[in-house]
Amino acid sequence: MKKYDRSIASAVEKIRNNVPTDLVDRFLASEGVSRELFRSFKPEKKGIISAVDGSNAMVFDSGNFSIAAVRAAATGFEQGIRQTRSVTPLSVFMIGPEEVNPDFPIIFQEYFGIPPGTPLRNEDPSVAASVLRDTLEYHIALEQAQSLQKDSLLLLDGALRVTHASHDAVLQETVRSAQRRELLIAAVSKRTSATWGGGFPLLPSVAGVAARAGITAPWWVKVDGSIPDRHQFDQWRHGDYYIAKLHPQARMPLKVELPVGTPDEIAGVTFARLAGMADDRRIPGYPFPLLDAHRAVVIDSAILDRVRQDITRGCNVKGMDEREFNQIFGDYHDEFRRY
């Protein structure tokens, strides 16, 4: 067997070991989630739903510093029809060469009225860009939590936990504001790394239990906090784990987080509202307001090209010619693509 074939066989074996044929049996034996914990329900297409998402993309990378573009958006739906859509202006930030990002305290103070408790380090440009994006995203989410009318549903993309310490107080205030004003709030993950038992995937395990028990979607189930393997940033988590399949034709269930201690009655209302907006034929089972927010905010190649042209033009005005510009941002990979 050739070395390549051996490497493929090894990868396949590892995948199979991570998702064994008896995955559901193992999960049931671990007393993870029993059939009795699943809740079936009817979707409800009513009320106001506001969804928040953000996007970031690298514009240039010189090796010792990077240029990132960042923005966030919120879309509002009522009775299943979009009523509002707002997108923040595209912001461009330089990441590096300083050890600490100088823009982070400026925008944090601007949006939240206080300086960040922890500086943002530039050592990993992709992480720094994500934190800058999260700052815009949490700013919009907090505004929504403080302005939506009673019984509205506020949807966040991702989880009810932060990845940078400075955002923790902001997220906590967002959740508290939502609860004080009697809003529903949920965070929905497009993709999750949640595992149990030292690395087994959680979503297929839960979905397998539902399928074996003959439970048809839509359904939701709360997952005890002791079941998932622990991950980074759990100290900043403010939500309980739920797994939900919101439409019979959904390819997979979703991990959803609701504020810690949410009563089952409130959880049921939240999932009914989520399922009421998860019937889009293009992506059945995913809440359409979040898809709409994603489509509004995504920074695609056309936007990146415009930003690159604007930066190139601005540098030219400052007396930087093409040769000098390419010496800073040139990459032999660009030359490789010519062939």
Short mmCIF file of all heavy atoms in Angstrom, two decimals, residues 165-226:
data_model
loop_
_atom_site.label_atom_id
_atom_site.label_comp_id
_atom_site.label_asym_id
_atom_site.label_seq_id
_atom_site.Cartn_x
_atom_site.Cartn_y
_atom_site.Cartn_z
N ALA A 165 -12.16 38.04 27.78
CA ALA A 165 -12.64 38.41 29.11
C ALA A 165 -13.40 39.73 29.14
O ALA A 165 -14.37 39.88 29.89
CB ALA A 165 -11.45 38.47 30.08
N SER A 166 -12.99 40.70 28.32
CA SER A 166 -13.62 42.01 28.36
C SER A 166 -15.08 41.98 27.95
O SER A 166 -15.86 42.86 28.33
CB SER A 166 -12.86 43.00 27.46
OG SER A 166 -11.58 43.26 27.98
N HIS A 167 -15.47 40.99 27.17
CA HIS A 167 -16.86 40.91 26.70
C HIS A 167 -17.79 40.25 27.71
O HIS A 167 -19.02 40.28 27.53
CB HIS A 167 -16.93 40.13 25.38
CG HIS A 167 -16.32 40.85 24.22
ND1 HIS A 167 -15.65 40.21 23.22
CD2 HIS A 167 -16.28 42.17 23.91
CE1 HIS A 167 -15.21 41.09 22.33
NE2 HIS A 167 -15.59 42.28 22.73
N ASP A 168 -17.23 39.65 28.76
CA ASP A 168 -18.06 38.87 29.67
C ASP A 168 -19.12 39.74 30.35
O ASP A 168 -20.30 39.37 30.41
CB ASP A 168 -17.19 38.18 30.72
CG ASP A 168 -17.96 37.17 31.54
OD1 ASP A 168 -18.66 36.32 30.94
OD2 ASP A 168 -17.89 37.22 32.79
N ALA A 169 -18.73 40.88 30.83
CA ALA A 169 -19.69 41.77 31.51
C ALA A 169 -20.75 42.25 30.53
O ALA A 169 -21.92 42.43 30.92
CB ALA A 169 -18.96 42.96 32.13
N VAL A 170 -20.38 42.46 29.27
CA VAL A 170 -21.33 42.92 28.26
C VAL A 170 -22.38 41.84 28.00
O VAL A 170 -23.58 42.13 27.94
CB VAL A 170 -20.62 43.30 26.96
CG1 VAL A 170 -21.63 43.73 25.90
CG2 VAL A 170 -19.60 44.40 27.21
N LEU A 171 -21.94 40.60 27.84
CA LEU A 171 -22.89 39.52 27.60
C LEU A 171 -23.80 39.32 28.81
O LEU A 171 -25.02 39.12 28.65
CB LEU A 171 -22.15 38.23 27.27
CG LEU A 171 -23.04 37.00 27.05
CD1 LEU A 171 -24.03 37.23 25.91
CD2 LEU A 171 -22.19 35.76 26.76
N GLN A 172 -23.24 39.39 30.00
CA GLN A 172 -24.07 39.24 31.19
C GLN A 172 -25.14 40.33 31.24
O GLN A 172 -26.30 40.06 31.59
CB GLN A 172 -23.19 39.30 32.45
CG GLN A 172 -22.32 38.07 32.65
CD GLN A 172 -21.69 38.06 34.03
OE1 GLN A 172 -22.38 38.08 35.05
NE2 GLN A 172 -20.37 38.05 34.07
N GLU A 173 -24.77 41.56 30.91
CA GLU A 173 -25.75 42.65 30.93
C GLU A 173 -26.79 42.45 29.83
O GLU A 173 -27.97 42.80 30.03
CB GLU A 173 -25.04 43.99 30.76
CG GLU A 173 -25.97 45.20 30.74
CD GLU A 173 -26.85 45.29 31.99
OE1 GLU A 173 -26.42 44.83 33.07
OE2 GLU A 173 -27.97 45.82 31.87
N THR A 174 -26.39 41.90 28.70
CA THR A 174 -27.35 41.62 27.63
C THR A 174 -28.39 40.62 28.09
O THR A 174 -29.60 40.80 27.88
CB THR A 174 -26.61 41.08 26.39
OG1 THR A 174 -25.66 42.06 25.93
CG2 THR A 174 -27.59 40.78 25.26
N VAL A 175 -27.94 39.55 28.74
CA VAL A 175 -28.87 38.53 29.24
C VAL A 175 -29.76 39.11 30.32
O VAL A 175 -30.98 38.90 30.33
CB VAL A 175 -28.09 37.30 29.77
CG1 VAL A 175 -29.04 36.31 30.45
CG2 VAL A 175 -27.34 36.61 28.64
N ARG A 176 -29.17 39.87 31.25
CA ARG A 176 -29.98 40.48 32.33
C ARG A 176 -31.01 41.45 31.78
O ARG A 176 -32.17 41.46 32.22
CB ARG A 176 -29.06 41.18 33.34
CG ARG A 176 -28.32 40.26 34.27
CD ARG A 176 -27.74 41.04 35.45
NE ARG A 176 -26.74 42.00 35.01
CZ ARG A 176 -25.43 41.76 34.99
NH1 ARG A 176 -24.97 40.59 35.40
NH2 ARG A 176 -24.58 42.70 34.60
N SER A 177 -30.61 42.26 30.80
CA SER A 177 -31.54 43.22 30.21
C SER A 177 -32.70 42.50 29.54
O SER A 177 -33.86 42.92 29.68
CB SER A 177 -30.82 44.10 29.19
OG SER A 177 -29.87 44.94 29.80
N ALA A 178 -32.38 41.44 28.82
CA ALA A 178 -33.43 40.66 28.16
C ALA A 178 -34.40 40.08 29.18
O ALA A 178 -35.63 40.11 28.99
CB ALA A 178 -32.81 39.56 27.31
N GLN A 179 -33.87 39.54 30.26
CA GLN A 179 -34.74 38.92 31.27
C GLN A 179 -35.55 39.97 32.03
O GLN A 179 -36.73 39.74 32.32
CB GLN A 179 -33.88 38.09 32.22
CG GLN A 179 -33.27 36.85 31.55
CD GLN A 179 -32.34 36.08 32.46
OE1 GLN A 179 -31.65 36.65 33.30
NE2 GLN A 179 -32.29 34.77 32.28
N ARG A 180 -34.94 41.12 32.32
CA ARG A 180 -35.69 42.19 33.02
C ARG A 180 -36.86 42.66 32.17
O ARG A 180 -37.94 42.98 32.70
CB ARG A 180 -34.77 43.37 33.33
CG ARG A 180 -33.87 43.21 34.51
CD ARG A 180 -33.31 44.54 34.96
NE ARG A 180 -32.55 45.21 33.92
CZ ARG A 180 -31.24 45.11 33.77
NH1 ARG A 180 -30.53 44.37 34.60
NH2 ARG A 180 -30.62 45.76 32.79
N ARG A 181 -36.67 42.72 30.86
CA ARG A 181 -37.69 43.24 29.98
C ARG A 181 -38.59 42.13 29.42
O ARG A 181 -39.36 42.34 28.51
CB ARG A 181 -37.03 44.04 28.85
CG ARG A 181 -36.13 45.14 29.41
CD ARG A 181 -35.50 46.03 28.36
NE ARG A 181 -36.53 46.85 27.73
CZ ARG A 181 -36.96 46.66 26.49
NH1 ARG A 181 -36.46 45.69 25.75
NH2 ARG A 181 -37.88 47.44 25.98
N GLU A 182 -38.43 40.92 29.98
CA GLU A 182 -39.26 39.75 29.63
C GLU A 182 -39.15 39.41 28.15
O GLU A 182 -40.15 39.14 27.47
CB GLU A 182 -40.71 39.99 30.04
CG GLU A 182 -40.88 40.18 31.54
CD GLU A 182 -42.33 40.34 31.95
OE1 GLU A 182 -43.13 39.42 31.66
OE2 GLU A 182 -42.66 41.38 32.54
N LEU A 183 -37.92 39.40 27.65
CA LEU A 183 -37.64 38.92 26.30
C LEU A 183 -37.21 37.47 26.37
O LEU A 183 -36.72 37.00 27.40
CB LEU A 183 -36.52 39.74 25.66
CG LEU A 183 -36.60 41.27 25.66
CD1 LEU A 183 -35.36 41.85 25.00
CD2 LEU A 183 -37.86 41.74 24.95
N LEU A 184 -37.36 36.78 25.27
CA LEU A 184 -36.75 35.47 25.10
C LEU A 184 -35.38 35.69 24.47
O LEU A 184 -35.21 36.59 23.64
CB LEU A 184 -37.61 34.58 24.20
CG LEU A 184 -39.06 34.37 24.62
CD1 LEU A 184 -39.82 33.63 23.52
CD2 LEU A 184 -39.15 33.62 25.94
N ILE A 185 -34.40 34.89 24.85
CA ILE A 185 -33.06 35.02 24.27
C ILE A 185 -32.47 33.64 24.06
O ILE A 185 -32.62 32.76 24.91
CB ILE A 185 -32.14 35.90 25.15
CG1 ILE A 185 -30.77 36.07 24.48
CG2 ILE A 185 -32.02 35.34 26.54
CD1 ILE A 185 -29.89 37.12 25.17
N ALA A 186 -31.86 33.43 22.91
CA ALA A 186 -31.27 32.14 22.59
C ALA A 186 -30.06 32.35 21.68
O ALA A 186 -30.02 33.30 20.89
CB ALA A 186 -32.28 31.22 21.90
N ALA A 187 -29.07 31.47 21.81
CA ALA A 187 -27.91 31.47 20.93
C ALA A 187 -27.90 30.16 20.17
O ALA A 187 -28.03 29.08 20.76
CB ALA A 187 -26.62 31.64 21.73
N VAL A 188 -27.76 30.24 18.85
CA VAL A 188 -27.83 29.07 17.98
C VAL A 188 -26.48 28.90 17.27
O VAL A 188 -25.97 29.85 16.68
CB VAL A 188 -28.95 29.21 16.94
CG1 VAL A 188 -29.00 27.99 16.03
CG2 VAL A 188 -30.30 29.40 17.64
N SER A 189 -25.94 27.70 17.32
CA SER A 189 -24.64 27.43 16.70
C SER A 189 -24.83 26.87 15.29
O SER A 189 -25.61 25.94 15.09
CB SER A 189 -23.84 26.42 17.52
OG SER A 189 -23.56 26.92 18.81
N LYS A 190 -24.10 27.45 14.32
CA LYS A 190 -24.07 26.86 12.97
C LYS A 190 -23.34 25.52 13.01
O LYS A 190 -23.66 24.59 12.28
CB LYS A 190 -23.34 27.78 12.00
CG LYS A 190 -24.00 29.12 11.73
CD LYS A 190 -23.25 29.85 10.62
CE LYS A 190 -23.83 31.23 10.35
NZ LYS A 190 -23.40 32.20 11.37
N ARG A 191 -22.31 25.47 13.85
CA ARG A 191 -21.51 24.26 13.98
C ARG A 191 -21.03 24.18 15.42
O ARG A 191 -20.80 25.19 16.05
CB ARG A 191 -20.31 24.31 13.03
CG ARG A 191 -19.43 23.08 13.05
CD ARG A 191 -18.31 23.17 12.02
NE ARG A 191 -17.41 24.29 12.32
CZ ARG A 191 -16.33 24.55 11.60
NH1 ARG A 191 -16.04 23.82 10.54
NH2 ARG A 191 -15.55 25.56 11.93
N THR A 192 -20.91 22.98 15.94
CA THR A 192 -20.48 22.84 17.33
C THR A 192 -19.43 21.75 17.47
O THR A 192 -19.47 20.74 16.76
CB THR A 192 -21.68 22.53 18.26
OG1 THR A 192 -21.20 22.37 19.60
CG2 THR A 192 -22.39 21.25 17.84
N SER A 193 -18.52 21.98 18.39
CA SER A 193 -17.50 20.97 18.71
C SER A 193 -17.86 20.20 19.98
O SER A 193 -17.02 19.47 20.51
CB SER A 193 -16.14 21.66 18.89
OG SER A 193 -16.20 22.61 19.95
N ALA A 194 -19.10 20.35 20.43
CA ALA A 194 -19.51 19.71 21.68
C ALA A 194 -19.36 18.19 21.60
O ALA A 194 -19.83 17.55 20.66
CB ALA A 194 -20.96 20.08 22.01
N THR A 195 -18.71 17.63 22.61
CA THR A 195 -18.49 16.18 22.67
C THR A 195 -18.81 15.66 24.06
O THR A 195 -19.01 16.42 25.00
CB THR A 195 -17.02 15.84 22.33
OG1 THR A 195 -16.16 16.49 23.28
CG2 THR A 195 -16.66 16.28 20.92
N TRP A 196 -18.84 14.34 24.18
CA TRP A 196 -19.03 13.69 25.47
C TRP A 196 -18.11 12.47 25.52
O TRP A 196 -17.61 12.01 24.49
CB TRP A 196 -20.50 13.26 25.65
CG TRP A 196 -20.92 12.18 24.70
CD1 TRP A 196 -21.38 12.34 23.43
CD2 TRP A 196 -20.88 10.76 24.93
NE1 TRP A 196 -21.63 11.13 22.84
CE2 TRP A 196 -21.33 10.14 23.75
CE3 TRP A 196 -20.50 9.97 26.02
CZ2 TRP A 196 -21.44 8.76 23.62
CZ3 TRP A 196 -20.60 8.59 25.90
CH2 TRP A 196 -21.07 8.00 24.72
N GLY A 197 -17.88 11.97 26.72
CA GLY A 197 -17.12 10.73 26.88
C GLY A 197 -15.70 10.81 26.38
O GLY A 197 -15.12 9.79 26.00
N GLY A 198 -15.12 12.01 26.34
CA GLY A 198 -13.74 12.14 25.91
C GLY A 198 -13.55 12.32 24.42
O GLY A 198 -12.45 12.10 23.91
N GLY A 199 -14.62 12.72 23.71
CA GLY A 199 -14.43 13.04 22.30
C GLY A 199 -15.50 12.57 21.35
O GLY A 199 -15.44 12.87 20.16
N PHE A 200 -16.51 11.85 21.84
CA PHE A 200 -17.60 11.43 20.95
C PHE A 200 -18.49 12.62 20.64
O PHE A 200 -18.82 13.41 21.53
CB PHE A 200 -18.44 10.32 21.60
CG PHE A 200 -17.68 9.05 21.86
CD1 PHE A 200 -17.56 8.55 23.14
CD2 PHE A 200 -17.09 8.36 20.81
CE1 PHE A 200 -16.87 7.38 23.39
CE2 PHE A 200 -16.38 7.19 21.04
CZ PHE A 200 -16.27 6.70 22.34
N PRO A 201 -18.93 12.79 19.38
CA PRO A 201 -19.76 13.96 19.02
C PRO A 201 -21.13 13.91 19.69
O PRO A 201 -21.81 12.88 19.67
CB PRO A 201 -19.86 13.86 17.50
CG PRO A 201 -19.61 12.41 17.19
CD PRO A 201 -18.66 11.92 18.23
N LEU A 202 -21.54 15.04 20.26
CA LEU A 202 -22.77 15.08 21.04
C LEU A 202 -24.02 15.07 20.17
O LEU A 202 -24.98 14.33 20.44
CB LEU A 202 -22.77 16.31 21.95
CG LEU A 202 -23.99 16.50 22.85
CD1 LEU A 202 -24.13 15.33 23.82
CD2 LEU A 202 -23.87 17.81 23.63
N LEU A 203 -24.05 15.88 19.11
CA LEU A 203 -25.28 16.01 18.32
C LEU A 203 -25.71 14.71 17.67
O LEU A 203 -26.90 14.33 17.78
CB LEU A 203 -25.12 17.12 17.26
CG LEU A 203 -25.66 18.49 17.68
CD1 LEU A 203 -24.89 19.02 18.90
CD2 LEU A 203 -25.56 19.50 16.54
N PRO A 204 -24.82 13.96 16.99
CA PRO A 204 -25.25 12.68 16.41
C PRO A 204 -25.72 11.69 17.47
O PRO A 204 -26.60 10.86 17.21
CB PRO A 204 -24.00 12.18 15.69
CG PRO A 204 -23.18 13.38 15.46
CD PRO A 204 -23.44 14.28 16.63
N SER A 205 -25.14 11.77 18.66
CA SER A 205 -25.53 10.86 19.73
C SER A 205 -26.97 11.13 20.16
O SER A 205 -27.79 10.20 20.29
CB SER A 205 -24.58 11.01 20.93
OG SER A 205 -23.25 10.78 20.55
N VAL A 206 -27.28 12.41 20.39
CA VAL A 206 -28.64 12.77 20.81
C VAL A 206 -29.64 12.47 19.68
O VAL A 206 -30.72 11.92 19.92
CB VAL A 206 -28.70 14.26 21.21
CG1 VAL A 206 -30.14 14.69 21.49
CG2 VAL A 206 -27.83 14.52 22.42
N ALA A 207 -29.27 12.83 18.44
CA ALA A 207 -30.16 12.58 17.30
C ALA A 207 -30.41 11.09 17.14
O ALA A 207 -31.51 10.67 16.77
CB ALA A 207 -29.56 13.16 16.03
N GLY A 208 -29.39 10.27 17.41
CA GLY A 208 -29.55 8.82 17.31
C GLY A 208 -30.53 8.27 18.32
O GLY A 208 -31.30 7.35 18.02
N VAL A 209 -30.50 8.81 19.53
CA VAL A 209 -31.47 8.39 20.55
C VAL A 209 -32.88 8.73 20.11
O VAL A 209 -33.80 7.91 20.23
CB VAL A 209 -31.14 9.05 21.90
CG1 VAL A 209 -32.24 8.74 22.92
CG2 VAL A 209 -29.80 8.59 22.43
N ALA A 210 -33.08 9.94 19.57
CA ALA A 210 -34.41 10.35 19.11
C ALA A 210 -34.89 9.45 17.97
O ALA A 210 -36.05 9.03 17.95
CB ALA A 210 -34.38 11.80 18.64
N ALA A 211 -34.01 9.14 17.02
CA ALA A 211 -34.39 8.29 15.90
C ALA A 211 -34.76 6.89 16.36
O ALA A 211 -35.74 6.30 15.90
CB ALA A 211 -33.25 8.24 14.89
N ARG A 212 -33.98 6.35 17.27
CA ARG A 212 -34.25 5.00 17.76
C ARG A 212 -35.57 4.95 18.52
O ARG A 212 -36.29 3.95 18.46
CB ARG A 212 -33.11 4.53 18.66
CG ARG A 212 -33.30 3.11 19.18
CD ARG A 212 -32.09 2.61 19.92
NE ARG A 212 -30.91 2.48 19.04
CZ ARG A 212 -29.75 1.98 19.44
NH1 ARG A 212 -29.61 1.55 20.69
NH2 ARG A 212 -28.75 1.89 18.59
N ALA A 213 -35.90 6.03 19.21
CA ALA A 213 -37.14 6.07 19.98
C ALA A 213 -38.34 6.45 19.12
O ALA A 213 -39.47 6.47 19.62
CB ALA A 213 -36.99 7.05 21.14
N GLY A 214 -38.10 6.78 17.85
CA GLY A 214 -39.20 7.14 16.96
C GLY A 214 -39.78 8.51 17.23
O GLY A 214 -40.95 8.78 16.92
N ILE A 215 -38.96 9.41 17.78
CA ILE A 215 -39.42 10.77 18.07
C ILE A 215 -39.24 11.61 16.82
O ILE A 215 -38.12 11.78 16.32
CB ILE A 215 -38.62 11.39 19.23
CG1 ILE A 215 -38.77 10.52 20.49
CG2 ILE A 215 -39.08 12.82 19.51
CD1 ILE A 215 -37.84 10.92 21.61
N THR A 216 -40.33 12.15 16.30
CA THR A 216 -40.26 12.94 15.07
C THR A 216 -40.11 14.43 15.39
O THR A 216 -40.62 14.92 16.40
CB THR A 216 -41.52 12.73 14.22
OG1 THR A 216 -42.68 13.06 14.99
CG2 THR A 216 -41.63 11.28 13.77
N ALA A 217 -39.39 15.11 14.53
CA ALA A 217 -39.18 16.55 14.70
C ALA A 217 -40.47 17.32 14.40
O ALA A 217 -41.30 16.84 13.62
CB ALA A 217 -38.06 17.01 13.77
N PRO A 218 -40.63 18.49 15.04
CA PRO A 218 -39.64 19.16 15.88
C PRO A 218 -39.63 18.64 17.32
O PRO A 218 -40.66 18.29 17.87
CB PRO A 218 -40.08 20.62 15.84
CG PRO A 218 -41.57 20.56 15.62
CD PRO A 218 -41.80 19.36 14.75
N TRP A 219 -38.41 18.60 17.88
CA TRP A 219 -38.23 18.22 19.27
C TRP A 219 -37.05 18.99 19.87
O TRP A 219 -36.22 19.52 19.15
CB TRP A 219 -38.00 16.72 19.44
CG TRP A 219 -36.91 16.09 18.60
CD1 TRP A 219 -37.07 15.34 17.48
CD2 TRP A 219 -35.48 16.16 18.83
NE1 TRP A 219 -35.86 14.94 16.98
CE2 TRP A 219 -34.87 15.41 17.78
CE3 TRP A 219 -34.67 16.78 19.78
CZ2 TRP A 219 -33.47 15.28 17.69
CZ3 TRP A 219 -33.29 16.64 19.68
CH2 TRP A 219 -32.70 15.90 18.65
N TRP A 220 -37.03 19.07 21.20
CA TRP A 220 -35.88 19.64 21.91
C TRP A 220 -35.62 18.84 23.16
O TRP A 220 -36.50 18.17 23.68
CB TRP A 220 -36.09 21.12 22.23
CG TRP A 220 -37.20 21.45 23.18
CD1 TRP A 220 -38.50 21.75 22.86
CD2 TRP A 220 -37.13 21.54 24.62
NE1 TRP A 220 -39.24 22.02 23.99
CE2 TRP A 220 -38.42 21.90 25.08
CE3 TRP A 220 -36.12 21.35 25.56
CZ2 TRP A 220 -38.72 22.06 26.43
CZ3 TRP A 220 -36.40 21.52 26.91
CH2 TRP A 220 -37.69 21.88 27.33
N VAL A 221 -34.40 18.90 23.62
CA VAL A 221 -34.03 18.21 24.84
C VAL A 221 -32.93 19.01 25.53
O VAL A 221 -32.04 19.55 24.88
CB VAL A 221 -33.57 16.76 24.56
CG1 VAL A 221 -32.31 16.74 23.69
CG2 VAL A 221 -33.33 15.99 25.86
N LYS A 222 -33.03 19.12 26.84
CA LYS A 222 -31.98 19.78 27.61
C LYS A 222 -30.90 18.77 27.95
O LYS A 222 -31.20 17.63 28.34
CB LYS A 222 -32.55 20.40 28.88
CG LYS A 222 -31.54 21.22 29.67
CD LYS A 222 -32.18 21.89 30.88
CE LYS A 222 -31.15 22.73 31.63
NZ LYS A 222 -31.75 23.41 32.81
N VAL A 223 -29.65 19.17 27.80
CA VAL A 223 -28.52 18.29 28.08
C VAL A 223 -27.89 18.71 29.40
O VAL A 223 -27.48 19.87 29.56
CB VAL A 223 -27.48 18.36 26.95
CG1 VAL A 223 -26.28 17.47 27.26
CG2 VAL A 223 -28.11 17.96 25.63
N ASP A 224 -27.84 17.80 30.33
CA ASP A 224 -27.25 18.09 31.64
C ASP A 224 -25.82 18.59 31.47
O ASP A 224 -25.04 18.07 30.67
CB ASP A 224 -27.27 16.84 32.52
CG ASP A 224 -26.85 17.14 33.94
OD1 ASP A 224 -25.63 17.08 34.22
OD2 ASP A 224 -27.72 17.43 34.77
N GLY A 225 -25.46 19.60 32.25
CA GLY A 225 -24.15 20.22 32.11
C GLY A 225 -22.99 19.30 32.39
O GLY A 225 -21.85 19.60 32.01
N SER A 226 -23.24 18.17 33.05
CA SER A 226 -22.15 17.23 33.35
C SER A 226 -21.82 16.32 32.17
O SER A 226 -20.80 15.63 32.20
CB SER A 226 -22.53 16.38 34.56
OG SER A 226 -23.67 15.56 34.27
#
